[in-house]
Amino acid sequence: MDLRDAPRRIYRMHETIPVSPGPLTLYYPKWPLPDHAPDGSIANIAGPVITANGKPVPWRRDVEDMYTLHLDVPAGADHIDLAFQYLSPGPGVWYGYEVWSTPHLVDLDPTQVAFYPGGYFARDIPIRPTVVLPAGWQFATAMEVASRSGDAVHFKPMSFNNFIDSPLIAGEYFRRVDLAPGDKVPVHLNIVGDSAASVQISDAYVAAYRRMVKQLYALFHAHHYDHYDLLLTVSDHVAGTGLEHHQSSFEMTGADFLTDADAFIASATLIPHEFTHSWNGKFRRPADMWTPAFNTPQPADMVWSYEGLTEYWSAVLAVRSGLLTPAQFRDSLASVGAKMAHRTGRAWRPLQDTATSAQLLYFNGDYWGNYRRGTDFYPEGELLWLDVDTKIRQLSHNRRSLDDFARLFYSMDNGSYVTRTYTFDDLVGALNQVQPFDWAGFLRQRLDATGEALPEHGIERGGWKVAYTDTPSDYDQAVSKADHRIDLAYSIGATMSDKGEVSDVQWDGPAYTAGLVPGMKIVAVDGEHFTGDMLKDAIRRAKGSHAPITLMVSYLDTYRTLAIDYHDGLKYPHLVRVAGTLDYLGDIARAAGG
C-alpha cells in the first residue's frame, strides 16, 4: 500500500496472490465491514494490471456482479501480481465514497484497497501487509509492526478478515495519548489533523477519555482485544463519520473538535459509540450480520440492536465519563425524544422496516427525512433501549438494570475477539435472565408500531417528560452550530442550513402547507434578506398575531413568495422533572463506582 501520493488522493496498490493454473475469481469487498450496505467503492479503482510470470493476464468483470473479476491463470504460474490505484474522490460525493486524504493526512480503509481470491473464508486467507508512507509521517493502526525500513512499514502476518478490520491513519501532524496507563492491555487515542493546533488535546479531555475506558470495563466486565487504538481524524476536509472495528475505531470530525467546546459537545458520543462497538457489533453480532466473506449480503434486521443499543450506551458512557454533563445528557435525550415524536414517517414505516431497509437508507440524504425516514434506527433505537433499561429498573424496584444485561451478554471469553453471534431469541432470553418479563412482546410492539404516538416511554418512566420553550438548550445550540443548521422543526416545521438551504420539511406541517419543500433556498423573510436570526424574529413576531410569516424562496431558477400561517412561537425541547416519580435517568447517568 504505497501512500506517498495520498496528499494528491492517489493510493497505489500492489498485491501478490498465490494461485494455481486455471480459472480464478477475485472479489472486491461489496459489503465492507461495517457499513450495513453493499457500498464497496469499486468505482474508485483505476488502472488494474494483472501479470503472471511477468506477462499480462487478461481479466473480465462479471456482467451481473460488478465487484467480481474473472481471469485464467496460465500454466506454470504459482502467483499473480495485481497493481491498481485507488483514487480518493473530491467532496460532495455520496456515502461510501467520501474524501479520505488531504495534503497533511491520510485515512486508509482496507476495504477500499484490496481484492481477494474467491473460494475461501476471509479468516482463512493469510496476508502480509506493507504500507509506504509520505516522508516523515507518523501512523497508527491495530495492525502490529514486524519491522520498519525508512518510510516502509511491514506488519505481522494476519488473516484477510482481520486486515479488512484494521484501518490506518497517518499524518504530518500526529498525537498519541495513552488512555490506560499502567494497564496490561494498551488503549491509545491517536490523532491526525491538518495543523499542529488541531491535534492538541486538553488534560480535561484526556482524563474524561481515561474514565470512559474504565466505565466501559465496569459496564461489560471484559474486553475482546489484545490492544485497542482509537483512530481520530480532525479535519474540515475529510468526510465526517465513524466506523467500528474490533481492535480499533475510525472517527472523523471537524478540525475544531478538540479545540471548540461546542464542537466537542456536538460529537461527544462519537468515540464512545465506536468504542462500544468492540463489544456490541464486533464481539457479539446479530447472526445474519456475520458472513464468511465480504461479498455475501448482510441482512440488517437487527441493526436496531447493533446500532440502537450502541447509540444508547454511547450517551450513557459519555455522561458517566464526564464527556457530557448530566444536564447535557438530559438535553440530548430531549432532542432525540422530540425528533422521533415528530417523525411523521412513523405513520407508515415502523422502526423494524428502517432496520430491514438499512442498505437503502444510508444513501438517501436528509430530504423528506422526517416522512420518508432514514437511518433513524440510531435515535429511535436509543429510545428503545432506554425504554428497556427503565422497564428493568421499574420491574426490579431499581435492583437491576441494563448494566446487568451488559455483564451477562458480553463478559464471556475475556480477551478473545472471536465473534459470538446471537438471534432475537438469544437477546430475549438474556433479558429474561436479568428480569423475567414478556420481552419478546415488549420489543416487537415497539419495533412494529406505526401511528402518531411514540411507542417508547423510557423518558417518562425515567421520571421526566419532554416540554418545549422558546429557548434552545445549550446542547441543541452546540449541535446546530456544529452542523451549521437552523432547526425549526417543532415550530414552522422546517430545517435548513444557516445559508437558508432547506434540508427537511415536516409533512403536513405549517411550512409544508405553505409550499416549502426540501431543496428550496430562503432568500428573504418578511421582505428582509434572510438570516437565521431574522427568521426566528419573524416567528416571534407572528406569535399571537394573524399575519403570516412570508418567505421569498428560490427553487430551480424560479422565485416565489410563501405565506406560513403559524402563530405559536419558537419551540425547542427540554426535559422537565415529573414530581412524585423516581429519577431513573439520574441513576442511569451515575458513574459506576460513583
Side-chain angles (χ1 to χ4, degrees), residues 8-24:
R8 297 196 296 162
R9 297 178 181 162
I10 302 170
Y11 305 179
R12 301 185 187 277
M13 312 306 302
H14 180 269
E15 297 184 48
T16 299
I17 304 174
V19 295
S20 299
L24 177 66

Side-chain angles (χ1 to χ4, degrees), residues 1 113 140-141 223 280 337 409 473 594:
M1 300 173 284
V113 296
T141 178
H223 61 81
N280 185 50
F409 208 61
S473 67

Side-chain angles (χ1 to χ4, degrees), residues 365-400:
D366 295 333
Y367 283 16
W368 297 118
N370 79 90
Y371 185 59
R372 177 175 38 76
R373 298 195 67 167
T375 57
D376 46 31
F377 43 77
Y378 289 86
E380 189 170 352
E382 180 179 354
L383 296 181
L384 173 67
W385 288 100
L386 173 63
D387 209 2
V388 173
D389 197 351
T390 55
K391 189 65 176 179
I392 294 173
R393 292 171 186 270
Q394 181 189 62
L395 291 170
S396 68
H397 304 288
N398 215 19
R399 291 192 294 268
R400 289 179 291 279

Side-chain angles (χ1 to χ4, degrees), residues 567-581:
H567 308 283
D568 290 335
L570 293 167
K571 293 183 179 180
Y572 299 100
H574 302 263
L575 291 194
V576 296
R577 190 76 174 87
V578 178
T581 62

Side-chain angles (χ1 to χ4, degrees), residues 148-331:
R148 185 164 186 172
S149 175
D151 294 315
V153 183
H154 307 283
F155 297 102
K156 294 180 181 179
M158 61 198 309
S159 73
F160 188 78
N161 188 73
N162 288 349
F163 169 69
I164 289 294
D165 204 31
S166 301
L168 176 147
I169 61 173
E172 179 180 357
Y173 305 104
F174 180 91
R175 178 104 186 254
R176 183 171 172 87
V177 181
D178 187 351
L179 296 187
D183 284 7
K184 293 181 179 179
V185 180
V187 178
H188 288 93
L189 173 62
N190 307 276
I191 312 166
V192 293
D194 288 317
S195 68
S198 68
V199 302
Q200 300 305 308
I201 182 171
S202 69
D203 291 343
Y205 287 168
V206 170
Y209 283 125
R210 286 175 173 169
R211 290 192 295 269
M212 176 193 69
V213 176
K214 294 182 180 298
Q215 288 300 312
L216 276 160
Y217 292 164
L219 180 63
F220 296 117
H221 295 265
H223 61 81
H224 304 287
Y225 44 77
D226 298 327
H227 55 88
Y228 196 92
D229 282 276
L230 295 150
L231 309 176
L232 174 63
T233 300
V234 285
S235 172
D236 291 332
H237 307 297
V238 172
T241 189
L243 295 170
E244 67 272 13
H245 297 277
H246 214 132
Q247 295 200 107
S248 61
S249 61
F250 223 177
E251 293 90 9
M252 286 163 255
T253 67
D256 59 354
F257 172 62
L258 296 173
T259 58
D260 181 272
D262 286 337
F264 186 84
I265 290 170
S267 297
T269 62
L270 177 61
I271 287 178
H273 180 103
E274 305 306 341
F275 200 172
T276 297
H277 268 313
S278 182
W279 290 264
N280 185 50
K282 304 304 291 184
F283 174 62
R284 297 305 309 267
R285 190 180 310 169
D288 286 348
M289 299 176 75
W290 180 94
T291 57
F294 305 110
N295 291 66
T296 304
Q298 301 168 20
D301 278 7
M302 289 188 66
V303 76
W304 51 268
S305 172
Y306 183 115
E307 294 292 1
L309 180 52
T310 301
E311 189 78 348
Y312 174 63
W313 270 327
S314 69
V316 170
L317 287 162
V319 66
R320 291 181 182 178
S321 306
L323 298 167
L324 291 175
T325 67
Q328 290 164 346
F329 168 67
R330 292 193 299 271
D331 287 339

